[in-house]
Structure formats: structure tokens, C-alpha cells
Amino acid sequence: DIQMTQSPSTLSASVGDRVTITCRASQSISSWLAWYQQKPGKAPKVLIYKASSLESGVPSRFSGSGSGTEFTLTISSLQPDDFATYYCQRYDSWWTFGQGTKVGIK
Amino acid sequence: QVQLVESGGGVVQPGRSLRLSCAASGFTFSSYAMHWVRQAPGKGLEWVAVISYDGSNKYYTDSVKGRFTISRDNSKNKLYLQMNSLRAEDTAVYYCARDPETNCTGGVCYSYFDYWGQGTLVTVSS
């Protein structure tokens, strides 16, 4: 079973900071990776799919990169609305989420 | 616009059953595979089950196999999750979610989830 591991689990940042979250797969998943944002009490929202494709309507400050086993989500300039928890998800041949990264205010 | 609305959650005793529903609107429900995903209080997301667009193929995570059954009624635009032999560890918010791809072999497209419902809370407790 392929495991997904995110790092860090939590991070503190300021508005305007560049933020990078990493997701590692225990085996290659090619580019079959999505990133979601979830705010408290709300459903997750997809940001990135196929590792680097921006979902329609998502601000361009979000970007994704990587393939194989290592992936990153980057927020180029953190905005107040971006304080949330972020999850990666593999969907190559099954569906597994990372444990999440909570982005908080420094 | 696409809408998914879950219902049927509540408090149930261990060993009892519950059926969740997800009402879909704003898209051709019968063309898309659908999923259930759950989130225990304060925890991360866990995929639970998927059903193909026509209901012919279904897959489950190991922890619910033999206890949960996913189904759909395309004439009513509804997705269901029948949960039997409930355990305390099944306590979670349950979300339905749509797979954005269509026309995949076997009816289940291994894809991400583009739309989610707001979730319904299931609490298993005596």
C-alpha cells in the first residue's frame, strides 16, 4: 500500500511569506497527485490536480510541482484567506491522503 | 451549479446501522463516479468507498469492507452509504465527492475529487 507523507505537519507564517509544503509517496505515483485546502468546519477544496495543474478559479499564487515520489505545493505570497489545512492525495490506482499540513499565523 | 448535499447523520449505538444520503444537482449525475470520504474529529481525510457511474463497480477501504455498502439511484440523483455494525472508530464527518472524469474503463476513473458536499456527522456512541 502506497503511503503519503506530508511535511511539515504544522507551520507558522506571515502574510506575504512564500510557503512550501512537501508530500512524499512511498512508491512512484507518476503525476497523479492533487492538493486540497480545508478550512475549519468546511469541505476540502481542490487547488491542484495532476501535480501541477491549477483548478479553475484557484488564485495563481498557488502552484504545484513534482513527479514520481516527491511533490510540493507552493503559495507564492501568503494571503489572510490561505490560513488553513492542506492535504495531498494520490489517485494513481487508489485514493490516499496525506496527514495534512496546518498553516497558521506567526 | 454543482451541488452535493449529504443527510442522514446522527448519533447511533455501536453495532447499529445508519444510511447516509447525498443529493446531487447541477450536473448529469448518471455520468459520474461518486465517492464517500470521511474525517474523524480533529483528524485527516480518509477515503471510504467509490461507485461507478452506473453502479456496476464498487470499491471500499479495508476497514469498512463487509460492513458498509455504497449504492446509487440515478433516477433520483442520489448516492447512498449503508453503514452496518458501526464502531466507535467510524465516528466522523462523512462527505460525498464527485470524480470529474467520465468514460473510463470499468466506470471508475482514478481521479481527484472536484466537488464535495458539506458533510454529515456520524457519532457512534453508547
Side-chain angles (χ1 to χ4, degrees), chain A residues 32 34 36 38 41-46 48-50 55 87 89 91-99, chain B residues 35 37 39 43-47 50 59-61 95 99 108-114 116-119:
Chain A
W32 305 117
Y36 297 85
Q38 187 181 34
K42 301 294 187 183
K45 170 190 168 185
V46 64
I48 302 286
Y49 62 96
K50 208 171 180 184
E55 178 76 353
Y87 294 92
Q89 178 206 29
Y91 57 92
D92 56 310
S93 58
W94 207 243
W95 303 271
T96 308
F97 292 91
Q99 81 277 17
Chain B
H35 297 258
V37 177
Q39 186 170 37
K43 301 297 184 182
L45 301 167
E46 180 186 24
W47 174 80
V50 62
Y59 302 105
Y60 302 89
T61 191
Y95 297 99
D99 183 319
V108 173
C109 306
Y110 291 93
S111 189
Y112 64 101
F113 309 150
D114 63 347
W116 298 61
Q118 86 290 349

Side-chain angles (χ1 to χ4, degrees), chain B residues 56-90:
Chain B
S56 62
N57 288 297
K58 306 172 186 181
Y59 302 105
Y60 302 89
T61 191
D62 284 347
S63 62
V64 309
K65 271 181 197 172
R67 300 189 300 122
F68 289 12
T69 302
I70 189 171
S71 62
R72 65 192 297 160
D73 186 336
N74 285 344
S75 68
K76 294 182 179 179
N77 289 347
K78 281 199 168 181
L79 173 72
Y80 303 101
L81 186 67
Q82 177 67 44
M83 303 186 295
N84 298 332
S85 302
L86 282 161
R87 305 166 180 167
E89 54 265 35
D90 296 319

Side-chain angles (χ1 to χ4, degrees), chain A residues 51-87:
Chain A
S52 60
S53 296
L54 193 68
E55 178 76 353
S56 176
V58 173
S60 59
R61 64 181 179 271
F62 291 94
S63 64
S65 65
S67 67
T69 61
E70 189 151 338
F71 303 87
T72 59
L73 173 71
T74 299
I75 309 172
S76 61
S77 178
L78 196 67
Q79 298 302 300
D81 191 48
D82 301 339
F83 292 98
T85 300
Y86 294 84
Y87 294 92

